[in-house]
Amino acid sequence: MAVWDDLVGQAKVEEQLAAAARDADALVTAHAAGQPDPEASKMTHAWLFTGPPGSGRATAARAFAAALQCVSPDRALGGAPGCGFCDGCHTTLVGTHADVEIVRTDLLSIGVKETRDLVRRAQLSPAGGRWQVIVLEDADRLTEGAGNVLLKAVEEPAPRTVWLLCAPSLEDVLPTIRSRCRHLTLRTPPVEAVADVLVRRDGIEPEVAHAAARATQGHIDRARRLATDERARARRAVVLKLPLRVGDVGGGLKAAQELVDAAAEDAKQVAEEIDVKETDELKAALGAAQGGRMPRGTAGAMKELEDRQKRRRTRTQRDSLDLALTDLTGFYRDVLALQLRSRSPLANTDVRDALERIAQETTPERTLRRIEAVLACREALDRNVAPLLAVEAMTMALRD
């Protein structure tokens, strides 16, 4: 299995990355032999992967990182880097390669301190691999100060260092950084391609796989979760009933409260799974006796961990709410498609009765205003508006 097999519906991007990996391999080989760099190389030191959620930005970056570290003997016989089986490919894909740093955050932002640590790492020569690779999966979450720290490293990279940045769009990255990166745009994968992956790789029944892929409109990770997680299906069912509950003020406010409570419950479940383990591990590392008091001078470390866990709970709650709002947008998109007699396939065929009912009772203009209300709620959450206040404002707007 080649490293590119996890890329779904991205043939053009795969072709560009494969060509760059071949050139990168040629560069390392030429350096090892004391030869000058090959001319017209497609390889560069900084890449920016953009695309809508679910398009596979991080997957493409990790696959490219694996191809850069490929040590398959077939390369000497004309084979392309990225075999997927050699030690370089395998350790990169599973996240244990010494020269590949994969950075993802479960917090709201990436700060200056974390970025400086990355920049210092990027200045090192490869310990055993062919390149020093930094994969920053959430480049859009860099604070302004962190972006300025990263800019210097991207402007003056070490000779064998490659930066792979991922973001939803070009506008999510500082102009000074994106102008120094080679840009690759990924598209939303076709529904059929996503369903095929779920069947072939995850062993999901074809009917369930197609329903999940259609409901998530090509978002690979969400489709897999929807097809395999009963809780995810239950939460989606609750969200898709919301448009029928906002006819009066009381119903709208109650629906808003339930939506926020469900998101808070998700954050609580994540915290229960992770926070206790993290706390116990830190206490052990700091030398706390079993069931005893913490040593002196460790309160600051514990407070830092508590703050991080609090920020993670906030991020988890927002992500859960955003997922619900995405499903709600898809519902009204289907309503609009019915009203306009569009030939576009419906995403939420399992609630077609509700779609047709609302389509008959309202107009396309009202549906568009409702979609705008959902999008406004997402923007409000991005601006740190209190979740309950933002969702209540949305449900009141959905009554219009």
Side-chain angles (χ1 to χ4, degrees), residues 332 358 362 366-374 398 400:
Y332 284 116
I358 294 180
T362 62
R366 291 181 66 185
T367 302
L368 284 172
R369 287 197 297 270
R370 288 168 171 173
I371 292 175
E372 290 172 353
V374 179
L398 294 179
D400 294 339

Side-chain angles (χ1 to χ4, degrees), residues 45-77:
H45 67 280
W47 297 74
L48 176 58
F49 299 81
T50 65
S55 58
R57 300 183 303 261
T59 300
R62 289 194 297 268
F64 187 36
L68 292 177
Q69 303 292 11
C70 183
V71 292
S72 169
D74 292 343
R75 294 174 299 110
L77 304 176

Side-chain angles (χ1 to χ4, degrees), residues 26-258:
L27 282 172
V28 175
T29 303
H31 284 176
Q35 299 172 355
D37 292 347
E39 296 182 1
S41 175
K42 295 182 177 64
M43 184 57 191
T44 189
H45 67 280
W47 297 74
L48 176 58
F49 299 81
T50 65
S55 58
R57 300 183 303 261
T59 300
R62 289 194 297 268
F64 187 36
L68 292 177
Q69 303 292 11
C70 183
V71 292
S72 169
D74 292 343
R75 294 174 299 110
L77 304 176
C83 65
F85 295 102
C86 71
D87 184 67
C89 288
H90 176 71
T91 54
T92 299
L93 292 176
V94 300
T96 59
H97 197 291
D99 295 314
V100 179
E101 181 76 8
I102 298 178
V103 182
R104 62 176 69 90
T105 183
D106 50 15
L107 304 179
L108 296 174
S109 62
I110 300 175
V112 171
K113 181 179 180 297
E114 300 97 315
T115 307
R116 283 179 177 158
D117 291 341
L118 285 179
V119 170
R120 281 192 289 268
R121 164 74 182 263
Q123 299 305 312
L124 301 175
S125 297
R130 301 169 69 77
W131 297 87
Q132 181 76 247
V133 184
I134 311 293
V135 181
L136 188 54
E137 294 188 359
D138 301 294
D140 54 308
R141 292 199 169 94
L142 289 166
T143 63
E144 184 175 355
N148 291 329
V149 170
L150 178 62
L151 175 60
K152 187 69 173 177
V154 173
E155 282 181 328
E156 301 175 4
R160 296 271 291 280
T161 294
V162 181
W163 288 90
L164 306 180
L165 312 180
C166 305
S169 69
L170 284 174
E171 289 70 27
D172 292 312
V173 181
L174 287 176
T176 47
I177 292 179
R178 67 183 187 234
S179 65
R180 290 163 173 80
C181 298
R182 182 164 296 173
H183 180 217
L184 292 177
T185 303
L186 285 76
R187 63 172 185 149
T188 299
V191 169
E192 289 299 324
V194 174
D196 177 67
V197 168
L198 296 180
V199 173
R200 176 167 45 86
R201 191 167 306 154
D202 299 294
I204 297 170
E205 291 295 325
E207 184 177 346
V208 175
H210 279 82
R214 184 174 59 249
T216 56
Q217 291 294 283
H219 192 300
I220 301 171
D221 292 336
R222 285 182 56 207
R224 181 178 290 111
R225 185 164 58 248
L226 191 62
T228 58
D229 188 347
E230 181 63 36
R231 290 188 308 175
R233 291 193 290 271
R235 285 195 297 269
R236 174 175 173 272
V238 171
V239 171
L240 295 184
K241 291 178 181 177
L242 187 145
L244 300 175
R245 302 176 58 194
V246 296
D248 60 86
V249 173
L253 295 178
K254 184 177 180 181
Q257 184 68 64
E258 291 176 358

